[in-house]
């Protein structure tokens, strides 16, 4: 089937896809021009990832047609998709930890030579590619030694190392701070000017309206049409995505901080010397935000508190008593929970069911005195959290690996929010979560705080952290550089502290 007069580089028409009895896509249309940034939006489970996986060859469509440059294609696997010039950067990282950055970027070329690989040349090419993106990463470094932000950059570089005509980015900025996100946008606009077609999936509407030319919205496996970004506003997009108005994204809070702190950190140092002299307190029912640029030490500090990384020195005080958290087991024993930013590696058990993931932290309240699990209590607890967080699943027995990325994030949250914690640390709470689901998570954080739990929220999303925190601590080079009360919340103030500058009077 040919259509060489088409104005579009990609034309997906009437695409259908079912997994068993579950219909995921129902006659979806997506048309992307050459030299266009096309935003693909929708709630978690709306079918966005399935649609781009069909385009790239991960899944096979049940019905419909796909044209690339006017010619019908049917990629049988990702290799065939890459040969056609279609590259995807997914939410979930797919790098090989024990290989170098360069080896990961040019993994598709390994074995192409019948004799030997010129590793010096490969590393040089990889370094030049990363440098061209504006990020500082050593191409010879092992991937396992990189931060999650650096790993995301390597994934993008890997996609651009091929002869890419269509670049698909699925939630690329969820771990980026504003500076890193801006670097990415600059690169995307450059690639667009060079004629590349870019399909951009994101729940961050601010960035969509900053860089996208066209928007297509999916809802429950059906496309609601495409429109020029200049002809629509955020309220219209939200209504198309969730089918209702979203009057207030950030629920109102009434914190009470006159009580003694529920948790205190005094003079905390990491064993590697990066996190240094961190001290702060969290009061019962208070949400303390932790801001800072990527690499400022936010996640490293959280892991020290939770016992996932080794401390050099420092004191942790819970309800007035000094505690030790030399391991995550110790932290959980003291009723401290931690939702990691990296859900795939640290947040959930992908092969296990939703029920098992949620219950694994809360056996005590669902067990009898003899230690046997009360199945009815367990199901009530799990079902309640599935409903409260609106986790899209036909059953609590579905394996987490079969959920969309955003719904996996909800399970990671539910796992810790199901226990009676005294302190809970949440790193990037709405990473990969749609705008409709964000308010459900914010409401749940509010509910937890109202019970007197101390809540620490780490977020790269400045509107989010200003919307849910009672005060914000800003980190810079491994230390807390400044503290902002609610009345001083502005993006400028956060950024100033983030780069180590004092506020303007």
């Amino acid at each position: 089937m040919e259509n060489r007069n088409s104005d579009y580089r990609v034309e997906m028409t009437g695409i259908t896809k079912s997994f068993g009895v579950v219909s995921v896509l129902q006659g979806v249309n997506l048309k992307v021009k050459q030299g266009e940034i096309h935003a693909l939006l929708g709630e978690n489970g709306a079918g966005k990832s399935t649609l781009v996986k069909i385009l790239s060859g991960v899944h096979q469509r049940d019905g419909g047609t796909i044209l690339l440059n006017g010619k019908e294609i049917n990629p049988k696997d990702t290799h065939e998709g890459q040969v056609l010039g279609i590259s995807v950067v997914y939410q979930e990282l797919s790098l090989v930890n024990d290989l170098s950055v360069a080896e990961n970027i040019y993994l598709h070329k390994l074995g192409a030579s019948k004799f030997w690989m010129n590793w010096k040349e490969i590393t040089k090419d990889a370094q030049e590619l990363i440098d061209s993106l504006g990020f500082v990463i050593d191409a010879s470094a092992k991937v396992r030694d990189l931060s999650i932000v650096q790993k995301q950059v390597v994934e993008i570089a890997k996609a651009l190392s091929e002869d890419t005509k269509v670049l698909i980015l699925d939630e690329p900025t969820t771990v980026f701070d504003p500076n890193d996100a801006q670097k990415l946008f600059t690169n995307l606009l450059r690639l667009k000017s060079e004629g590349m077609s870019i399909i951009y999936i994101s729940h961050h509407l601010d960035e969509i309206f900053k860089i996208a030319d066209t928007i297509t919205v999916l809802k429950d496996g059906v496309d609601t049409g495409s429109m020029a970004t200049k002809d629509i506003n955020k309220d219209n997009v939200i209504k198309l995505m969730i089918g209702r108005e979203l009057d207030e994204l950030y629920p109102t809070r009434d914190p009470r901080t006159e009580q003694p702190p529920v948790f205190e950190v005094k003079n905390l140092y990491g064993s590697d010397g990066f996190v240094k002299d961190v001290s702060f307190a969290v009061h019962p029912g208070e949400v303390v935000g932790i801001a800072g640029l990527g690499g400022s030490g936010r996640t490293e500090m959280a892991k020290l508190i939770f016992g996932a990384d080794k401390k050099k020195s420092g004191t942790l005080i819970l309800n007035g008593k000094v505690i030790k958290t030399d391991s995550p087991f110790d932290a959980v024993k003291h009723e401290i929970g931690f939702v990691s930013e990296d859900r795939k590696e640290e947040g959930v058990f992908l092969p296990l069911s939703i029920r098992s993931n949620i219950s694994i932290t809360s056996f005590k309240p669902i067990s009898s005195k003899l230690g046997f699990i009360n199945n009815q209590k367990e199901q009530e607890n799990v079902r309640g959290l599935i409903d409260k967080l609106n986790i899209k699943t036909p059953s609590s027995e579905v394996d987490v690996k079969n959920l969309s990325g955003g719904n996996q994030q909800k399970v990671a949250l539910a796992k810790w929010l199901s226990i009676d914690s005294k302190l809970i640390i949440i790193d990037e709470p709405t990473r990969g979560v749609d705008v409709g689901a964000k308010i459900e998570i914010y409401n749940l954080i509010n509910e937890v705080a109202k019970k007197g739990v101390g809540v620490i929220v780490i977020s790269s999303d400045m509107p989010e952290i200003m919307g849910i925190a009672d005060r914000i601590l800003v980190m810079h080079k491994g230390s807390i550089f400044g503290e902002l009360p609610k009345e001083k919340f502005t993006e400028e103030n956060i950024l100033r502290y983030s780069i180590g500058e004092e506020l303007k009077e």
Side-chain angles (χ1 to χ4, degrees), residues 94-267:
S94 60
L95 303 174
V96 183
N97 280 328
D98 291 323
L99 295 182
S100 71
V101 169
E103 288 167 336
N104 270 276
I105 289 175
Y106 291 108
L107 196 62
H108 59 288
K109 289 188 176 180
L110 300 186
S113 169
K114 294 181 180 179
F115 300 101
W116 56 80
M117 302 297 295
N118 187 334
W119 293 112
K120 186 176 180 180
E121 189 69 24
I122 284 176
T123 302
K124 177 175 174 288
D125 290 347
Q127 192 66 63
E128 288 177 354
L129 177 55
I130 290 171
D131 291 345
S132 74
L133 296 175
F135 292 88
V136 180
I137 302 172
D138 182 359
S140 63
K142 285 281 194 292
V143 163
R144 70 168 59 259
D145 297 325
L146 303 183
S147 69
I148 192 168
V149 172
Q150 291 173 319
K151 289 178 181 178
Q152 185 72 39
V153 174
V154 175
E155 286 278 18
I156 294 168
K158 181 179 176 182
L160 295 176
S161 70
E162 302 171 42
D163 185 20
T164 301
K165 302 292 190 301
V166 180
L167 176 64
I168 303 168
L169 298 169
D170 191 354
E171 296 289 352
T173 64
T174 52
V175 295
F176 283 3
D177 62 44
N179 283 353
D180 291 335
Q182 187 54 54
K183 288 179 188 175
L184 175 65
F185 300 154
T186 300
N187 282 294
L188 295 183
L189 293 172
R190 172 178 59 81
L191 294 169
K192 167 190 164 181
S193 70
E194 293 170 358
M196 187 176 290
S197 300
I198 299 167
I199 299 173
Y200 193 94
I201 300 174
S202 178
H203 295 306
H204 296 285
L205 295 186
D206 286 338
E207 58 191 44
I208 293 300
F209 280 87
K210 183 180 291 186
I211 64 168
D213 302 297
T214 310
I215 293 172
T216 295
V217 178
L218 297 187
K219 179 168 175 55
D220 298 328
V222 177
D223 73 87
T224 58
S226 299
M227 59 228 79
T229 307
K230 62 182 177 60
D231 296 333
I232 195 170
N233 60 36
K234 291 180 190 176
D235 290 339
N236 299 144
V237 171
I238 290 170
K239 191 170 183 180
L240 287 171
M241 286 172 61
I242 66 177
R244 59 184 170 87
E245 304 285 353
L246 200 59
D247 298 325
E248 189 177 48
L249 181 58
Y250 303 109
T252 56
R253 288 187 39 71
D254 183 23
R256 295 178 175 85
T257 58
E258 67 277 2
Q259 300 178 52
V262 66
F263 182 71
E264 295 176 83
V265 179
K266 293 185 177 180
N267 310 115

Side-chain angles (χ1 to χ4, degrees), residues 404-437:
S404 68
N407 281 301
Q408 288 178 5
Q409 176 71 357
K410 292 181 185 179
V411 173
L413 277 163
K415 184 178 74 173
W416 291 111
L417 296 174
S418 68
I419 66 173
D420 291 327
S421 301
K422 292 184 174 69
L423 175 77
I424 185 164
I425 306 167
I426 310 175
D427 197 352
E428 304 292 355
T430 59
R431 181 187 174 202
V433 172
D434 64 70
V435 66

Side-chain angles (χ1 to χ4, degrees), residues 358-481:
I358 292 176
S359 297
I360 205 162
T361 57
S362 58
F363 285 133
K364 188 175 180 181
I366 59 173
S367 299
S368 67
K369 291 180 180 180
L370 296 176
F372 294 103
I373 293 175
N374 184 314
N375 290 329
Q376 184 177 345
K377 280 186 178 179
E378 181 185 25
Q379 288 293 350
E380 287 173 358
N381 180 57
V382 170
R383 192 71 249 173
L385 283 161
I386 287 174
D387 292 342
K388 191 171 286 186
L389 281 169
N390 194 25
I391 299 171
K392 293 188 176 179
T393 176
S395 165
S396 62
E397 298 307 310
V398 170
D399 291 344
V400 171
K401 66 183 178 184
N402 294 324
L403 299 179
S404 68
N407 281 301
Q408 288 178 5
Q409 176 71 357
K410 292 181 185 179
V411 173
L413 277 163
K415 184 178 74 173
W416 291 111
L417 296 174
S418 68
I419 66 173
D420 291 327
S421 301
K422 292 184 174 69
L423 175 77
I424 185 164
I425 306 167
I426 310 175
D427 197 352
E428 304 292 355
T430 59
R431 181 187 174 202
V433 172
D434 64 70
V435 66
K438 284 183 179 182
I439 196 167
E440 295 160 359
I441 291 174
Y442 300 150
N443 280 329
L444 197 52
I445 290 172
N446 263 8
E447 285 183 33
V448 170
K450 283 178 182 177
K451 294 176 182 177
V453 176
V455 182
I456 298 172
V457 173
I458 302 168
S459 179
S460 302
D461 186 330
M462 284 196 285
E464 172 176 273
I465 206 162
M466 290 190 292
I468 63 176
D470 300 313
R471 58 191 169 96
I472 297 173
L473 307 176
V474 185
M475 295 194 70
H476 173 66
K477 293 184 177 179
S479 299
I480 294 174
F481 187 84

